[in-house]
């Protein structure tokens, strides 16, 4: 790691505005004006992002946005790109400056540090190995790997040859993984022998065998021995997984071919990866994103809004970017995207809260101090847990290099943000240089520094909200805007986000549906196996009339332009442009950023012979923890004792993941259903959040309205325990 001092850090969004003024003759009075330009002049804005980041293509694009339609927008036709090609651009300059590509540690203290040339060599070796096994552009490659450098290598190798990447975390059970991978028909599987989490080792060789047996399209398996360390244990793991190739063997090649390897140039919309975001019915949605759209949105988000700079550039010298995640969360993709800009990525694999017997919420902070992290990101629940555990950051080592805290996954409470701000005030004292006002240029407006108790030099919180669905964020940070605890600072450039009421009208200072009224390049290309885009349309585009609201600022486009994107979150936009997400507006489960369809949980629970019916609701809402009760109807004569509760939880843990265990399980006489048999998840969720019964449910449309009395009483009891 280079020991050169960190230079004064001009905000990245300020540097972009300098560039706009110099190269486009554009100046804006405030951020709102910049945002409105970016969401109405789509061609000009996205072309500026292409030029600002000097994106390269061997062939020119013939348009920026050829068809403004949702879904189906056509971006940068004619351009050729490759995600791995963009990463490789940084190998020589980053290495020459003395910076690593990836720094990693796990719970056991195993440390791995990959230099940029070694990252490139391993990617090339694995890519050539996959090609030798017959993997071609467009083929799907599935991975069952944790948050380690080897997963980044595998991802870059797969996409460098035009194959399509898809990963599931090893804490997911066989059933949940197969619900995903069976849909995409992978030709190769890259897996691990196990993981360590919370102080325990979890062998996954049996799961790997089940995956192989249930995925007939898989022709080749590569096994990374993540648990086994001694040579004999490694040999046993590889023998148990035969036929397979060791990951270490597949990445060991060093020859002229690896040195000469170059990622394939691919069409801008060539599939990059398949991620999964579950709805309330059916199998998880296998969402396909493209190389170009994902890359250009990641650069705009990560650098301009999240303010994560290039490690070897003088303005952001020594940047070290960490965002705690598992591979089952889209923040793994966001962490990996740091490589697109030549940023050192710092990753941790394990439980951020220690073990069950010895909880320790200082684990990540001590890791960040040891590694000199400059940007520290985690789920909002992590910061809430630190607050509740009484963590004192002054005991965690030298955190003086941390200049930004990132959060997402669920609404961040004002209390949790105030806790972090106070902790860093204590760490920094009065000696901290002014971060928010550095590097301003002539003729550009001064940023405000005083707002809601904010002090000059306070730690900057980059609170963001987006989704797996479009591999990006809609709302987030701007290092030059005021901070209000519990809020996100702004709608992001290029994202025409509005809050709509039930009539489909944009509202300010009211809670409404989050919609995006213009396309952005990283919106899904399609869902795998989705005939005529019916599932894609039903997931995001079926709530409001087509054409309605497609032109921000007034007026509608023709219905042929398609509908607006409805995201499924409750949003309030304040008059100053800051935003608050209040939780999900649909019945999807969101456990600290990891989304799961209720149907997946039902299939696990209702497979038990004792369970006749079930319903789950997630009461995530601003300023409080996610609370998820599960209601079950048992066979006559059975009661919900401790053993039955344990059996239900065990079924969820095995089929899905421990992350989706309910807070409590309740035995009920009936699950409320419509006349057509649909479970009334959303009305019951609204009832438990404090809305009156007559406003959330139509008894005449119910098959069993008599069961509602129990839920009304339960809602009253719940609200008495935890008022909304």
């Amino acid at each position: 790691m280079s020991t050169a001092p960190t230079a004064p850090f001009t905000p990245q969004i300020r540097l972009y505005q300098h560039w706009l003024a110099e190269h486009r003759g554009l100046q804006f009075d405030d951020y709102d004006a910049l945002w409105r330009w970016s969401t109405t002049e789509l061609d000009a804005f996205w072309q500026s992002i292409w030029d600002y980041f000097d994106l390269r293509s061997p062939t020119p694009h013939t348009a920026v946005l050829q068809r403004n339609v949702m879904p189906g927008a056509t971006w940068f036709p004619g351009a050729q790109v490759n995600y791995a090609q963009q990463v490789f651009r940084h190998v020589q300059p980053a290495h020459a400056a003395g910076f690593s590509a990836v720094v990693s540690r796990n719970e056991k203290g195993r440390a791995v540090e990959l230099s940029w040339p070694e990252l490139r060599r391993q990617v090339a070796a694995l890519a050539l190995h996959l090609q030798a096994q017959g993997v071609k552009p467009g083929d799907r490659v599935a991975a069952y790997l944790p948050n380690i450098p080897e997963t980044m290598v595998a991802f870059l190798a797969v996409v460098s040859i035009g194959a399509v990447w898809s990963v599931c975390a090893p804490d997911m059970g066989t059933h949940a993984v197969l619900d995903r991978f069976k849909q995409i028909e992978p030709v190769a599987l890259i897996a691990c022998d196990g993981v360590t989490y919370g102080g325990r080792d979890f062998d996954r060789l049996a799961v790997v065998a089940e995956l192989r047996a249930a995925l007939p399209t898989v022709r080749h398996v590569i096994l990374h021995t993540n648990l086994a360390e001694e040579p004999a244990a490694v040999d046993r793991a590889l023998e148990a997984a035969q036929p397979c190739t060791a990951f270490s063997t597949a990445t060991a090649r060093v020859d002229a071919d690896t040195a000469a390897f170059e990622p394939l140039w691919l069409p801008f919309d060539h599939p990059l990866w398949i991620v999964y975001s579950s709805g309330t019915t059916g199998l998880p949605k296998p969402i396909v994103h493209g190389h170009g759209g994902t890359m250009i949105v990641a650069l705009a988000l990560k650098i301009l809004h999240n303010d994560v700079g290039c490690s070897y550039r003088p303005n952001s010298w020594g940047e070290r970017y960490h965002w705690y995640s598992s591979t089952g969360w889209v923040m793994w993709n966001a962490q990996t995207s740091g490589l697109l800009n030549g940023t050192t990525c710092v990753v941790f694999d394990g439980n951020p809260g220690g073990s069950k017997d010895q909880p320790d919420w200082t684990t990540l902070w001590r890791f960040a101090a040891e590694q000199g992290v400059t940007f520290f990101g985690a789920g909002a629940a992590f910061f809430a847990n630190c607050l509740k555990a009484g963590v004192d950051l002054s005991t965690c080592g030298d955190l003086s290099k941390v200049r930004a805290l990132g959060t997402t996954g669920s609404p961040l409470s004002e209390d949790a943000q105030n806790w972090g701000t106070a902790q860093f005030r204590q760490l920094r004292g009065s000696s901290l240089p002014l971060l928010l006002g550095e590097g301003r240029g002539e003729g550009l407006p001064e940023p405000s520094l005083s707002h809601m108790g904010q002090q000059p030099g306070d730690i900057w919180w980059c609170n963001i909200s987006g989704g797996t669905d479009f591999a990006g964020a809609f709302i987030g940070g701007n290092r030059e805007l005021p901070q209000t605890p519990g809020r996100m600072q702004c709608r992001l450039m290029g994202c025409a986000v509005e809050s709509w009421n039930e009539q489909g009208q944009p509202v300010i200072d009211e809670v409404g549906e989050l919609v995006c009224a213009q396309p952005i390049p990283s919106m899904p290309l399609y869902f795998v196996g989705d005939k005529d885009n019916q599932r894609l349309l039903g997931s995001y585009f079926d709530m409001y009339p087509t054409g309605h609201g497609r032109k921000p600022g007034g007026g509608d486009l023709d219905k042929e332009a398609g509908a607006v994107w409805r995201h499924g979150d409750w949003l309030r936009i304040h008059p100053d442009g800051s935003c608050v997400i209040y939780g999900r507006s649909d019945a999807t489960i969101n456990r600290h950023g990891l989304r799961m369809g209720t149907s997946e949980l039902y299939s696990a629970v209702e497979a038990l012979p004792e369970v006749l019916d079930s319903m789950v609701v997630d009461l995530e809402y601003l300023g409080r923890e996610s609370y998820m009760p599960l209601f079950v109807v048992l066979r006559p004569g059975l009661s919900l004792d401790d053993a039955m509760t344990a059996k239900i939880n065990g079924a969820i843990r095995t089929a899905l993941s421990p992350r989706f265990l309910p807070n409590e399980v309740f035995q009920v006489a009936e699950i409320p259903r419509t006349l057509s048999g649909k479970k009334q998840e959303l009305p019951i969720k609204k009832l438990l959040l404090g809305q009156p019964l007559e406003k959330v449910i139509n008894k005449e449309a119910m098959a069993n309205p008599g069961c509602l009395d129990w839920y009304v009483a339960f809602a009253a009891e719940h609200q008495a325990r935890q008022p909304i």
Side-chain angles (χ1 to χ4, degrees), residues 4-82:
T6 300
F9 201 156
T10 303
Q12 299 291 335
I13 198 165
R14 173 64 47 182
L15 296 177
Y16 170 66
Q17 287 182 261
H18 284 318
W19 184 90
L20 284 177
E22 180 181 353
H23 294 273
R24 298 291 195 268
L26 293 171
Q27 296 193 42
F28 301 94
D29 291 337
D30 54 22
Y31 176 73
D32 184 67
L34 173 62
W35 174 78
R36 291 190 182 281
W37 168 77
S38 74
T39 55
T40 53
E41 302 297 330
L42 297 185
D43 283 32
F45 171 69
W46 288 110
Q47 182 65 56
S48 79
I49 297 298
W50 179 285
D51 294 340
Y52 182 70
F53 291 110
D54 188 28
L55 297 184
R56 298 173 186 175
S57 169
T59 55
H61 51 270
T62 57
V64 176
L65 178 56
Q66 187 176 62
R67 292 183 66 229
N68 186 336
V69 60
M70 288 198 287
T74 304
W75 292 94
F76 295 96
Q80 296 181 73
V81 296
N82 190 301

Side-chain angles (χ1 to χ4, degrees), residues 303-458:
I303 300 164
L304 303 185
H305 280 287
N306 292 8
D307 204 46
V308 176
C310 172
S311 297
Y312 61 86
R313 293 279 168 81
N315 180 67
S316 47
W317 188 266
E319 186 84 279
R320 285 196 152 203
Y321 170 53
H322 164 77
W323 200 303
Y324 174 77
S325 180
S326 80
T327 51
W329 189 20
V330 76
M331 293 314 297
W332 176 83
N333 307 67
Q335 169 80 82
T336 302
S337 72
L339 298 173
L340 290 170
N341 192 44
T343 307
T344 299
C345 293
V346 182
V347 300
F348 181 83
D349 181 41
N351 190 335
S355 66
K356 185 176 181 180
D357 297 332
Q358 294 181 303
D360 180 8
W361 289 98
T362 69
T363 300
L364 278 186
W365 295 110
R366 290 183 286 105
F367 172 64
E370 292 164 7
Q371 300 301 329
V373 165
T374 57
F375 187 106
F376 180 98
F382 169 80
F383 295 100
N385 281 315
C386 289
L387 164 64
K388 286 187 288 186
V391 168
D392 180 357
L393 295 188
S394 67
T395 67
C396 297
D398 182 6
L399 291 165
S400 62
K401 290 186 177 179
V402 177
R403 59 175 184 80
L405 301 174
T407 72
T408 192
S410 55
L412 178 71
S413 71
E414 185 175 339
D415 288 344
Q417 184 164 340
N418 285 334
W419 168 83
T421 299
Q423 288 283 319
F424 274 89
R425 281 179 187 167
Q426 180 182 352
L427 290 179
R428 293 170 162 191
S430 60
S431 62
L432 183 76
L434 184 64
L435 292 179
L436 289 171
E438 294 170 351
R440 292 187 298 274
E442 293 296 327
L444 293 173
E446 297 278 330
S448 171
L449 292 171
S450 177
H451 192 67
M452 297 292 289
Q454 179 186 349
Q455 298 177 11
D458 270 350

